[in-house]
Amino acid sequence: MSNGSSSGTRTDFISVPVELASRSYVVEIGANLLDQTGSRLRQLGLEGRVALITDENVDRHYGPQVTTSLARAGYESSCYPIPAGEASKALATVEQVCDSMARDGFDRSAIVLALGGGVVGDLAGFVAGVYYRGLKLVQLPTTVMAQVDSAVGGKTAVNLPAGKNLVGVFHQPTFVLADTVTLQTLGRREWNEGFAEVIKYGVIRSPELLVKLAQDPLPDLAGVVRECVQIKAGIVAADEHETSGLRALLNFGHTLGHAIEAVAGYGSFFHGEAIALGMRAAAYLSQRHTGLSPEEVAQLDALLRRFSLPRTLASGFKPEALLRHAFADKKFVSGRIRFVLTPRFGEAFVSEQVTSNDLLDAVSYLQAT
Ligand SMILES: NC(=O)c1ccc[n+]([C@@H]2O[C@H](COP(=O)([O-])OP(=O)(O)OC[C@H]3O[C@@H](n4cnc5c(N)ncnc54)[C@H](O)[C@@H]3O)[C@@H](O)[C@H]2O)c1
Ligand SMILES: [Zn+2]
């Protein structure tokens, strides 16, 4: 991490490197950075026409600002706004966007800019991964979720009717620019759900971050984003394609979280809300199996409350349905699941101690308290 200079027209920013040999890149984080999109692309030596992919909400807020910045730096650009929401993360949208780009004459020299939350980032990342067998990609994340998580690490995907994120490619961006001012226009629920992922980083790697998050109002938003990006960058650099198991730590709270999301029907819970419940269950199982202290369990509960995240699951949820989904996720090996536990905040690891009965108990815990 280094502090960017404030020379010339640049405002202060923080730069976090993601070390991936020839595919290394930096994530720049700070306030009012979007206006400098064009000039940063020039400084980085990126040449080509720009395909700006965004969603209709984000386009209204920030599309013109980015387009103007690109034009000032001499870039020709075309904007492709998709409807906001998870339903756009589909092969049909990939086809529409790629077809429009082809009609507009984009070839393999194009640069894709993804301006928006995780939906835009995943969709545009996938388009950049497959159009002409791969284009340069720049992520301009505008949600907490995207800035701390989805814009970094190179996972892209779209959904199938059969399930989420089933079609995708690894495609690392060339550059990520996270303007924290954009987070001010997020709805309250979108803001809060992003903090479920921030809490996740604290639980797996940084008890200090959890202490910072308890402060109200939150001090140093850019610093919080930086810490999450540093943690993710470190994990991704060590296990880019999720082969050693390290990257699986990022799934803390996600085994039951994903199951809850799917069983409730996508859209009922926001991703971060379902993850909040999954993290509470994972803390319960961490206490049982690895001795996570009751104080730490209470600390997690207090943070979920602070960000108005759900802590209990309605009794209507059938535990068996949740388990079936977790099984279908293929993380079970002979009755046991690869499940992220932590004996203390900051020391998470992938365990094979968790059984399906444990999961049933964890669901009862969410339904009883
Ligand atoms: N690739 C990865 O590693 C990874 C990691 C985590 C999540 N994801 C994916 O991310 C997606 C969720 O992302 P998300 O939570 O950002 O949702 P999202 O992209 O749907 O954004 C949420 C809502 O906020 C609006 N919005 C975005 N930025 C805004 C702003 N600055 N001001 C006002 N409104 C704004 C959007 O239009 C949308 O309606 C899921 O599809 C999930 O699978 C991917
Ligand atoms: Zn997540």
Side-chain angles (χ1 to χ4, degrees):
M1 189 265 300
S2 65
N3 279 316
S5 84
S6 53
S7 62
T9 54
R10 295 219 64 189
T11 44
D12 280 340
F13 67 99
I14 300 163
S15 178
V16 181
V18 184
E19 311 277 4
L20 291 164
S22 64
R23 282 166 291 106
S24 298
Y25 53 96
V26 292
V27 181
E28 290 181 356
I29 304 155
N32 300 308
L33 298 182
L34 271 191
D35 280 336
Q36 298 160 28
T37 308
S39 56
R40 282 304 284 140
L41 298 194
R42 277 281 169 241
Q43 286 161 6
L44 291 165
L46 291 171
E47 299 288 339
R49 280 170 69 205
V50 172
L52 176 63
I53 303 178
T54 185
D55 75 27
E56 286 161 0
N57 289 336
V58 179
D59 188 28
R60 253 195 327 277
H61 286 292
Y62 305 108
Q65 192 182 345
V66 173
T67 303
T68 303
S69 160
L70 290 168
R72 265 202 321 265
Y75 286 101
E76 195 188 319
S77 68
S78 304
C79 186
Y80 302 98
I82 60 174
E86 186 73 25
S88 283
K89 246 179 74 170
L91 283 170
T93 321
V94 174
E95 182 174 4
Q96 281 160 17
V97 171
C98 289
D99 193 52
S100 303
M101 284 171 62
R103 286 170 197 280
D104 292 342
F106 280 99
D107 61 17
R108 57 165 300 112
S109 65
I111 308 166
V112 170
L113 259 60
L115 172 69
V119 164
V120 166
D122 279 10
L123 180 278
F126 184 74
V127 166
V130 298
Y131 188 82
Y132 272 80
R133 301 190 186 83
L135 304 178
K136 290 210 172 63
L137 169 69
V138 172
Q139 291 278 4
L140 305 172
T142 63
T143 62
V144 175
M145 171 76 70
Q147 295 196 355
V148 303
D149 194 347
S150 59
V152 178
K155 278 193 182 177
T156 78
V158 295
N159 306 324
L160 293 179
K164 263 195 70 157
N165 296 331
L166 293 183
V167 179
V169 290
F170 281 101
H171 190 66
Q172 296 290 348
T174 306
F175 176 50
V176 181
L177 190 72
D179 184 340
T180 51
V181 169
T182 61
L183 306 180
Q184 286 172 6
T185 50
L186 283 176
R188 184 52 45 189
R189 215 177 143 193
E190 283 82 1
W191 166 271
N192 284 332
E193 73 138 350
F195 278 91
E197 302 286 2
V198 178
I199 293 168
K200 174 192 78 179
Y201 287 111
V203 170
I204 64 172
R205 278 293 180 260
S206 174
E208 303 77 26
L209 178 59
L210 296 177
V211 172
K212 207 187 236 186
L213 288 178
Q215 297 176 44
D216 196 3
L218 192 66
D220 187 20
L221 182 57
V224 167
V225 174
R226 172 192 60 204
E227 189 159 354
C228 297
V229 170
Q230 280 176 322
I231 294 170
K232 182 151 187 187
I235 290 176
V236 168
D239 184 20
E240 184 181 5
H241 298 120
E242 205 162 332
T243 41
S244 78
L246 188 65
R247 192 163 178 163
L249 294 184
L250 296 169
N251 289 335
F252 181 80
H254 281 60
T255 305
L256 272 177
H258 279 154
I260 291 168
E261 230 181 331
V263 171
Y266 290 111
S268 323
F269 282 109
F270 282 6
H271 175 71
E273 294 170 346
I275 295 319
L277 290 164
M279 289 196 292
R280 199 158 175 264
Y284 167 80
L285 293 177
S286 293
Q287 185 172 5
R288 169 182 289 187
H289 284 289
T290 66
L292 183 70
S293 70
E295 292 75 23
E296 285 164 300
V297 173
Q299 190 185 348
L300 174 64
D301 262 9
L303 281 174
L304 299 183
R305 263 192 237 104
R306 164 167 180 357
F307 290 98
S308 305
L309 289 162
R311 295 167 42 258
T312 57
L313 189 62
S315 55
F317 276 87
K318 297 258 180 307
E320 298 73 23
L322 294 172
L323 228 64
R324 257 199 311 280
H325 189 277
F327 266 110
D329 235 11
K330 288 201 230 77
K331 289 180 199 117
F332 272 93
V333 186
S334 55
R336 288 169 188 269
I337 196 164
R338 290 169 58 78
F339 196 95
V340 184
L341 297 175
T342 194
R344 272 177 297 282
F345 287 156
E347 298 179 13
F349 69 102
V350 179
S351 162
E352 295 193 352
Q353 300 172 61
V354 173
T355 63
S356 41
N357 278 336
D358 284 325
L359 286 191
L360 289 175
D361 290 349
V363 174
S364 309
Y365 172 75
L366 294 179
Q367 290 183 319
T369 50

